[in-house]
Amino acid sequence: MSVRVRFAPSPTGFLHIGGLRTALYNYLFARHHGGTFVLRIEDTDQSRYVEGAEADIIRSLEWAGMTIDEGPTNPGGVGPYRQSERKEMYLEYAKQLIESDNAYYAFDTPEEIDEMRERLKKSGNPSPSYDSITRQSMKNSLTLSKDEVEKRLANGDDYVVRLKVPRRETVKFEDLIRGIVSFDTAGLDDQVLMKSDGMPTYHLANVVDDHTMGITHVIRGEEWLSSAPKHMLLYKAFGWEAPTMAHLPLIMSPSGGKLSKRKAESEGIPVNTKDYISGNYEPEALINFLAYLGWSPGDDSEIHDMKELCKLFTLDRVSKGGAVFNYKKLMWYNEHYIRETSVEELQPRVKVLAEEMGFDTKSDAYLKTVVKLLHERVSKIDEFVSMGSFFFEAPKEYDEKAVKKWKDDSADLVKAWTEKVDALSEEEFKAATLKSKLEETIEEHEVGFGKLMMPLRIAVTGQGFGPDLFESLELLGKEEVMERIETALKRLD
Ligand code: GLU
């Protein structure tokens, strides 16, 4: 039997980073087994539907390097791949369950259900629900006569279809991550399967689709574990074999608790995949990082690209406990992948970013040198532009902290150096020469290296730190450097 897995997001907003990890684990599992990775859009809850969410999901998966084998935009043989387009099917399946006495029509109005709840609360039941006991006193096809039911249906009365959850049964299944999971049906309500608007609920649609799409393994977030017993009852009621289950650990915030949108924001962690795209993170870094957020290959290796991850990934190495989102670690990965990328590959990407910010990057050779000078210093590609902006234009401001290091003797020292290098031609304006001129100057003035180096850096770059100063001066060229120093002497002294 070949493996078929699905990523089944609801299009209710931008793809959350946790959703991306769920997709990734499905994808890695599929590739590891030479199986199929399906994208199914679970859009039966019309009230939560968000325009553009599906496109965001597809774009995010593509950016991350996950190829969708079957999905709404590239259907395979078991489509459609949007639940809203499969609407007709679900009622047929619900009727099948009614016929086999595993489900029933319920005609109660919301008011009648509220009344039942109030009544039971008063008699001491703290969380009354529509279940194997209360169903007996409600208006449904189990309590009403056959004629009455048919009359109501013919009449077009509002109804829902509910699952007839057995009174006292233990539902047991094996979860590949959690081991044997067992639930008592006494705590379950008679789950609504079809809503009065004719749409199925998540539970019915999910089970029908997983079965009819031939899904072999359900890999999803822990938050769905509590729904699994309902799904198991449904599989049993249909007489279908259930897919193998694997519920992934939660992603936790560094300060504890689930990494919710609000928490993430307050801790400066981007929460939607689109933020990583627009934030110029390396997709390989995010993927490597996410793979390790709840899984490890069992040795101390940490760097693996998608191809290697596909080879290594197995569900038995996924942890049960929550995985803490460590942003520093993500940046460590990002830095690693930037270092691994060649200057030739980085240069055109930096060019786009710099031009978007309105900088003139001069020539390709010039920009390539900028990238080379900063390659070991940046941890995100946009830092080539922010750290290297002085290569594209003279500093408009001088960094406040840096300016504090501009001392009384700074101007004299800078002037002394300038006089020496003024004698050099553009061709002689080379890093090594510039450095030796600096050494000469500090010797003559009997001061330390930093006394001249720092003011020189501030004058030319506007910052107190940055790439190799002499290489930077050489790249900027004599004319530009001299001009900047002149401006700085006027402004800083
Ligand atoms: N539509 C559900 C979600 O939004 C899918 C849960 C599942 O994978 O069964 O996550």
Side-chain angles (χ1 to χ4, degrees), residues 6 8-10 40 42 202 206 210 218-220 224 231:
R6 75 335 186 248
S10 301
R40 181 174 74 227
E42 302 211 323
Y202 154 72
N206 192 267
D210 282 344
V218 168
I219 304 169
R220 62 184 171 195
W224 301 101
H231 300 172

Side-chain angles (χ1 to χ4, degrees), residues 63-100:
W63 174 80
M66 291 179 233
T67 317
I68 301 162
D69 299 319
E70 295 173 22
T73 53
N74 57 330
V78 296
Y81 290 79
R82 289 183 196 99
Q83 288 186 329
S84 57
E85 293 167 14
R86 301 166 70 81
K87 199 174 148 190
E88 277 68 44
M89 268 173 70
Y90 304 117
L91 183 59
E92 289 313 307
Y93 281 104
K95 280 185 181 155
Q96 196 177 310
L97 291 183
I98 295 171
E99 261 149 48
S100 64

